[in-house]
Amino acid sequence: MRILISNDDGIYSPGLAALTRAATEFGEVHVVAPDVERSSASHSISSHPLSYRPTDIPGVRAHRVNGTPADCVALGVHLGAGVDVVLSGLNLGLNLGHGIWHSGTIAAAKQATMLGIRGIALSVPAGEEPVNFEILRPWFSKVLRSLLVEVTTPRLVNVNFPREPRGIVWTRAAVQHYDGRIFPAKDPLGRDVYWFSVTAVEAADQATDRWAVEQRWISMTPLDVDPTDAGLVEQIAAAHPMDTTTARVVSPPVSTTEAATKVRVEEAET
Ligand code: MN
């Protein structure tokens, strides 16, 4: 199995080193990761040329890139000799609930899925107390065995580890409460500055990723790259048909290379 590893904490992260150690048990590992930390980069891509420099990580081939997590995966897949799966992490900091939208860790895995390759994002707790990789090491192997060997159906999975797991569960994302807040503060010259960060939410619903980690379960959430509200689209198209009668009826049903190219050009200009 050819495994590409990336992250958003940067190529020198101890989390990436721990994931690399765990992954070598399952195949040939190639690391392609940002040269500096790009946490919260989400799925941004760079509008400057990318470099691809060999980097010394014991036991594996590794390259650092002056780009985002999504850039790294695109480049790693393009320049690598075939990639079967992309692992992203281990992020130092959980990616739960709405964190999915901000996370560079998940974006790297999502970039793989968009290229037709399976993507798995893996995150561990951060905070004042460093996470104990020795306690988690057997759990890393167990999760990778599950997702690389036994259950290969989900194309994109978001995995979060508690500090001392008692097992593994499938979950959905905890998106009932949004925890993003603006925090006002002062800079050293007394000027107003602002942090956009997250606060603890009141409580998490059962069977969500946040609930699972609270209860010391390893959370595995299958994700989809399609953000369409599938339950609503046909219903709303029937109730408010606009220029057609339903979402299924599009007349004429044309998507041509020319039409696609025209839209692509217009995207590039905006
Ligand atoms: Mn990060």
Side-chain angles (χ1 to χ4, degrees), residues 8-9 37 39 91 105:
D8 75 358
D9 290 340
E37 182 175 355
S39 288
N91 189 61
T105 305

Side-chain angles (χ1 to χ4, degrees), residues 58-82:
V60 294
R61 201 157 64 94
H63 292 83
R64 66 185 189 276
V65 175
N66 61 335
T68 65
D71 289 332
C72 290
V73 170
L75 205 52
V77 169
H78 180 76
L79 296 177

Side-chain angles (χ1 to χ4, degrees), residues 45 256-270:
I45 56 174
T256 62
T257 307
E258 291 75 17
T261 302
K262 183 169 183 296
V263 172
R264 183 69 74 197
V265 168
E266 286 165 355
E267 281 181 327
E269 286 171 353
T270 55

Side-chain angles (χ1 to χ4, degrees), residues 7-10 13 37-41 90-93 95 103-105 123:
N7 74 351
D8 75 358
D9 290 340
S13 166
E37 182 175 355
R38 303 300 296 261
S39 288
S40 302
L90 293 153
N91 189 61
L92 301 183
N95 278 300
S103 168
T105 305
S123 304

Side-chain angles (χ1 to χ4, degrees), residues 1-245:
M1 190 181 308
R2 290 158 302 188
I3 301 168
L4 177 66
I5 293 185
S6 193
N7 74 351
D8 75 358
D9 290 340
I11 195 159
Y12 302 110
S13 166
L16 184 141
L19 179 58
T20 301
R21 280 195 298 274
T24 48
E25 188 187 328
F26 297 92
E28 181 193 334
V29 171
H30 180 201
V31 172
V32 181
D35 56 359
V36 295
E37 182 175 355
R38 303 300 296 261
S39 288
S40 302
S42 185
H43 210 121
S44 59
I45 56 174
S46 296
S47 54
H48 58 73
L50 299 172
S51 66
Y52 185 73
R53 304 231 161 86
T55 299
D56 192 20
I57 294 184
V60 294
R61 201 157 64 94
H63 292 83
R64 66 185 189 276
V65 175
N66 61 335
T68 65
D71 289 332
C72 290
V73 170
L75 205 52
V77 169
H78 180 76
L79 296 177
V83 173
D84 297 309
V85 64
V86 171
L87 306 180
S88 179
L90 293 153
N91 189 61
L92 301 183
L94 297 168
N95 278 300
L96 304 169
H98 286 285
I100 289 169
W101 297 104
H102 304 304
S103 168
T105 305
I106 296 174
K110 180 148 54 80
Q111 182 62 59
T113 306
M114 289 162 64
L115 292 168
I117 299 164
R118 297 186 66 225
I120 301 166
L122 306 108
S123 304
V124 298
E128 287 184 17
E129 180 90 0
V131 74
N132 187 329
F133 286 117
E134 285 310 306
I135 290 175
L136 289 174
R137 186 194 291 251
W139 292 102
F140 297 152
S141 292
K142 195 163 185 174
V143 164
L144 290 179
R145 185 166 306 287
S146 294
L147 294 176
L148 296 180
V149 181
E150 294 160 5
V151 190
T152 56
T153 322
R155 298 185 312 139
L156 179 59
V157 186
N158 180 30
V159 183
N160 285 278
F161 295 85
R163 287 177 185 273
E164 295 183 30
R166 56 171 159 150
I168 307 173
V169 292
W170 294 103
T171 59
R172 59 192 167 83
V175 292
Q176 289 75 22
H177 314 279
Y178 183 51
D179 50 3
R181 298 273 189 284
I182 296 290
F183 294 89
K186 296 284 185 188
D187 78 1
L189 297 178
R191 296 171 296 199
D192 291 334
V193 292
Y194 302 90
W195 287 95
F196 183 23
S197 191
V198 294
T199 58
V201 294
E202 290 293 315
D205 289 356
Q206 197 160 344
T208 62
D209 52 5
R210 190 176 300 283
W211 169 87
V213 172
E214 279 175 11
Q215 306 300 317
R216 294 183 33 238
W217 296 105
I218 295 167
S219 163
M220 302 204 303
T221 312
L223 302 178
D224 193 338
V225 293
D226 181 359
T228 308
D229 188 337
L232 182 61
V233 66
E234 297 212 4
Q235 183 190 331
I236 201 166
H240 307 281
M242 308 304 282
D243 290 328
T244 65
T245 51

